[in-house]
Amino acid sequence: MPSYLITGASRGIGLGYVRQLSVDQENVIFALVRDKKDSHELTALNTPNIHIVEADITDHQALKRVAEEVAQVTGGSLDVLINNAAYMRSPRGFMTLDEYTDPELLTADMNEMFNINVIGVVHTINAFLPLLKRGTTKKVVTLTSGLGVPAITLQSEMDIFGPYSASKAAINVIVAKYAVKFKPEGLLFVALSPGLVNTAPAGQQAPPEYMARWGKMLARFKELNPSFRGALSVENSVKRQIELINAATLEQAGTMLSVEF
């Protein structure tokens, strides 16, 4: 009975993982959310092999309590940890770094991105490492982005999403550090880019002045890849992500896998 823990499972890609993995009743799914009461789509699944657990990934004590809950269900092990929870949707995401008129606001955005997207992931990994070491599959997957790769930033000429991109560059290094440490023990750590995925709630749209920048970015993607047809659906992206996770081997430890789009 393979066991999976997915962070940020209340919506978007995280919820997509829960939906697809829980179809196989042999899988045991732990869906980690900050607040179960606000996770309406997740609770509506109401499937026996889904266990909803609560913690903020920046709260290491809460994560330890969740690890204890997981251990009680599985007998002390965990096969796959999927670090999906992340913060991106600041209304200032479409701004370039020099467009911040308030230095304190820039500092706040940078701190929030790193606290959730980097430090929170480190706390999550550390909390579940003892269980992963006793697992069978022994895979730790951390969702990342091509925006965190300098070469891709230069190629795509994307100067927006600065704080988010910096946090993803940092997490790519973190994944490599864990990979080096734990590869000899058979634990596989990889970063995984889900591709460009449409996770926006229905009807939600950025302000008009930012939509122009979004359009410019999509046009550049089309220029670089003529077969580009726009953002993937959550369903299609998650399906491909699961295929990559299942196929991943220790030879890929520390690398960034990517869904083509």
Side-chain angles (χ1 to χ4, degrees):
M1 298 177 66
S3 56
Y4 298 81
L5 188 139
I6 301 106
T7 68
S10 64
R11 56 188 174 83
I13 290 174
L15 181 61
Y17 266 114
V18 175
R19 281 180 169 147
Q20 293 193 33
L21 290 171
S22 63
V23 170
D24 185 345
Q25 292 297 307
E26 291 298 309
N27 292 336
V28 180
I29 312 300
F30 297 95
L32 191 147
V33 299
R34 284 183 297 173
D35 188 347
K36 182 178 178 179
K37 296 191 297 296
D38 290 337
S39 304
H40 305 296
E41 291 184 78
L42 175 62
T43 55
L45 295 178
N46 196 28
T47 304
N49 62 335
I50 299 174
H51 302 266
I52 303 176
V53 290
E54 291 180 292
D56 188 314
I57 66 169
T58 63
D59 184 345
H60 58 89
Q61 293 296 340
L63 288 168
K64 287 182 180 179
R65 290 193 293 272
V66 170
E68 292 170 359
E69 292 179 44
V70 172
Q72 290 175 3
V73 175
T74 64
S77 65
L78 178 65
D79 290 313
V80 181
L81 169 63
I82 300 175
N83 289 307
N84 164 72
Y87 179 64
M88 178 183 185
R89 292 195 176 279
S90 164
R92 294 170 294 279
F94 286 88
M95 291 169 53
T96 60
L97 292 170
D98 63 299
E99 289 176 335
Y100 279 81
T101 57
D102 183 352
E104 295 301 324
L105 192 57
L106 173 57
T107 298
D109 279 357
M110 293 291 290
N111 284 340
E112 187 164 28
M113 292 290 181
F114 273 76
N115 191 39
I116 298 172
N117 297 354
V118 183
I119 300 171
V121 173
V122 171
H123 284 319
T124 304
I125 292 171
N126 289 345
F128 293 101
L129 260 177
L131 305 186
L132 289 158
K133 290 180 179 180
R134 292 192 288 270
T136 301
T137 308
K138 301 181 188 294
K139 292 183 178 182
V140 179
V141 179
T142 300
L143 267 65
T144 186
S145 171
L147 297 178
V149 179
I152 294 177
T153 293
L154 294 171
Q155 186 180 31
S156 64
E157 299 177 349
M158 192 182 304
D159 54 4
I160 55 179
F161 300 121
Y164 174 79
S165 300
S167 72
K168 288 304 181 180
I171 204 59
N172 290 342
V173 174
I174 293 294
V175 168
K177 297 294 184 182
Y178 276 107
V180 170
K181 172 73 183 292
F182 291 104
K183 183 177 179 180
E185 298 182 33
L187 270 75
L188 172 62
F189 284 80
V190 292
L192 172 58
S193 171
L196 183 64
V197 186
N198 182 10
T199 59
Q204 180 174 311
Q205 194 173 42
E209 61 269 25
Y210 294 149
M211 289 305 296
R213 293 186 177 185
W214 179 257
K216 179 181 177 182
M217 181 182 74
L218 296 182
R220 179 59 177 164
F221 286 165
K222 180 71 173 178
E223 182 181 334
L224 293 171
N225 178 11
S227 64
F228 173 68
R229 303 194 185 283
L232 296 169
S233 68
V234 168
E235 181 181 6
N236 286 338
S237 173
V238 169
K239 179 181 178 181
R240 298 185 199 180
Q241 289 178 63
I242 292 172
E243 291 171 352
L244 289 171
I245 292 170
N246 290 339
T249 66
L250 277 174
E251 285 69 31
Q252 295 168 299
T255 64
M256 186 179 84
L257 311 178
S258 183
V259 171
E260 299 295 330
F261 62 94

